[in-house]
C-alpha cells in the first residue's frame, strides 16, 4: 500500500500526514507542480495554507498541475483523503459537495473534538464501529461546512455524511454538525479535523490511525 | 478595459466578519448600524470583457456561497 501526500507552497501538515500514513504503509510526498502520481494507491491532500489561502482557502490550489492528476485519479475510483485545507481544496475542485466558510466563532480555533462515526461502512471508516466517538484535534479558521438544504438532505439520505461533531463541540458552526463528507461514489472523503495528529499515544489519542488503517483495508481489497 | 467584480456572501449565509464589524461600531460611538455584510472587490484590466462572467464564476467567486456582480469601468488604464 503506497500513499502519496501532496505538498503545495504553504502546506504545513504534509510531513505529519506522511508519518501517519507510514504507520500503515509506504508514503511519499508529491510536489504540486508535478503531474506524476508515482503509482500511489491513495492520495492525501494535507492541511496547511496552500498558496497562502489567497482569495478563498483552496481556491488556487485546485488549479495546480498535480490536482489535474488527482481529479483523474478520483474519477477512476482512486482513494482520495482531504484533511482540513485538503478538504477545502477538494470542495473547490468539485470532488466533494459544499464549501467551507469562516468559523462562526470568528476565531482560528485549535482544540480536541469528539467526532461521531455516522457511516462506519466506508473506505475511510471501515475500522470504526457505528456511533463510535473519535477524539481528534481540529485547528482551522474556515471550517464551517455549508451546502444548500436540498444538498444537505441528499448527503444524509445517500449516507455521505461520514462524521459529525458532538453538537456541543461544533465551534465552527457547520450545518447539521457535519465534520466529514464523502462523494457519491465513496472514494473521496474530506474532514476538517486532523487524523494525522492523533496516531501516537505520546500525544493522547490514536483514534486518527483508524482512518489510515481503513484506507489500507480498502486499497488491499481493491487490489485483491 | 478596466473592470470591477464585486463578490458578496449569498443572502442568508452567516457572515462572521460582518458581525464582528457590526459589534465594533458601538464601541466607537456609532449607533444604529445593522446588517453589515463584507465581501470582496477585484479590479482588473482585461482585453476581452466577455470572459468576466466565466472568470468570476470559476475563480473569483464560489457560486455555491457567493454572488458576484461585474462592472465595466470607462476610465482608461493608468
Amino acid at each position: 500500500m503506497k500513499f502519496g501526500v501532496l505538498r503545495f507552497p504553504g502546506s504545513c501538515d504534509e510531513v505529519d500526514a506522511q508519518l501517519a500514513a507510514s504507520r500503515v504503509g509506504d508514503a511519499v510526498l508529491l510536489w504540486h507542480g508535478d503531474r506524476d502520481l508515482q503509482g500511489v494507491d491513495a492520495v492525501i491532500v494535507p492541511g496547511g495554507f496552500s498558496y497562502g489561502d489567497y482569495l478563498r482557502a483552496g481556491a488556487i490550489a485546485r488549479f495546480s498541475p498535480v490536482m489535474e492528476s488527482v481529479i483523474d485519479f478520483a474519477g477512476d475510483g482512486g482513494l482520495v483523503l482531504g484533511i482540513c485545507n485538503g478538504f477545502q481544496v477538494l470542495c473547490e475542485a468539485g470532488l466533494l459537495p459544499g464549501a467551507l466558510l469562516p468559523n462562526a466563532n470568528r476565531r482560528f480555533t485549535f482544540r480536541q473534538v469528539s467526532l461521531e462515526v455516522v457511516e462506519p461502512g466506508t473506505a475511510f471508516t471501515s475500522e470504526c464501529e457505528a456511533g463510535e466517538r473519535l477524539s481528534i484535534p481540529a485547528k482551522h479558521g474556515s471550517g464551517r461546512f455549508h451546502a444548500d438544504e436540498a444538498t444537505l438532505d441528499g448527503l444524509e439520505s445517500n449516507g455521505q455524511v461520514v462524521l459529525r461533531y458532538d453538537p456541543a463541540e461544533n465551534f465552527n458552526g457547520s450545518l447539521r454538525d457535519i465534520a466529514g463528507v464523502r462523494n457519491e461514489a465513496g472514494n473521496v472523503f474530506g474532514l476538517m479535523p486532523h487524523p494525522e495528529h492523533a496516531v501516537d499515544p505520546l500525544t493522547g489519542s490514536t483514534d486518527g490511525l483508524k482512518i489510515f488503517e481503513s484506507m489500507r483495508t480498502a486499497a488491499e481489497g481493491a487490489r485483491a | 478595459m478596466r473592470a470591477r467584480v464585486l463578490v458578496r456572501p449569498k443572502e442568508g449565509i452567516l457572515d462572521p466578519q460582518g458581525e464582528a464589524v457590526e459589534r465594533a461600531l458601538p464601541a466607537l460611538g456609532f449607533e444604529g448600524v445593522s446588517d453589515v455584510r463584507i465581501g470582496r472587490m477585484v479590479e482588473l484590466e482585461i482585453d476581452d470583457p466577455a470572459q468576466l462572467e466565466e472568470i468570476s464564476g470559476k475563480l473569483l467567486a464560489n457560486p455555491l456561497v457567493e454572488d458576484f456582480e461585474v462592472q465595466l469601468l470607462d476610465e482608461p488604464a493608468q
Side-chain angles (χ1 to χ4, degrees), chain B:
Chain B
M1 165 170 265
R2 195 85 189 143
R4 181 182 288 153
V5 180
L6 300 175
V7 182
R8 303 181 170 87
K10 271 189 194 292
E11 214 181 305
I13 288 185
L14 177 72
D15 175 17
Q17 217 184 162
E19 274 190 355
V21 169
E22 189 171 323
R23 288 184 193 189
L25 288 170
L28 295 173
F30 297 105
E31 301 291 342
V33 182
S34 62
D35 201 20
V36 178
R37 310 280 287 170
I38 298 182
R40 215 170 21 249
M41 181 185 74
V42 183
E43 287 186 334
L44 46 80
E45 195 68 33
I46 187 163
D47 294 336
D48 178 9
Q51 295 177 317
L52 278 167
E53 286 285 324
E54 197 182 349
I55 289 173
S56 303
K58 273 194 170 166
L59 181 59
L60 303 183
N62 179 348
L64 289 179
V65 287
E66 295 168 325
D67 292 323
F68 62 87
E69 177 186 333
V70 172
Q71 297 177 344
L72 300 179
L73 308 176
D74 291 332
E75 59 257 50
Q78 295 296 309

Side-chain angles (χ1 to χ4, degrees), chain A residues 80-116:
Chain A
V80 181
L81 167 67
I83 302 168
C84 194
N85 192 225
F87 186 12
Q88 297 161 341
V89 172
L90 295 179
C91 287
E92 284 282 342
L95 290 177
L96 287 173
L100 284 315
L101 296 171
N103 293 346
N105 69 0
R106 297 189 292 274
R107 290 177 179 85
F108 187 98
T109 301
F110 185 5
R111 70 166 62 148
Q112 199 79 9
V113 290
S114 173
L115 303 173
E116 178 198 354

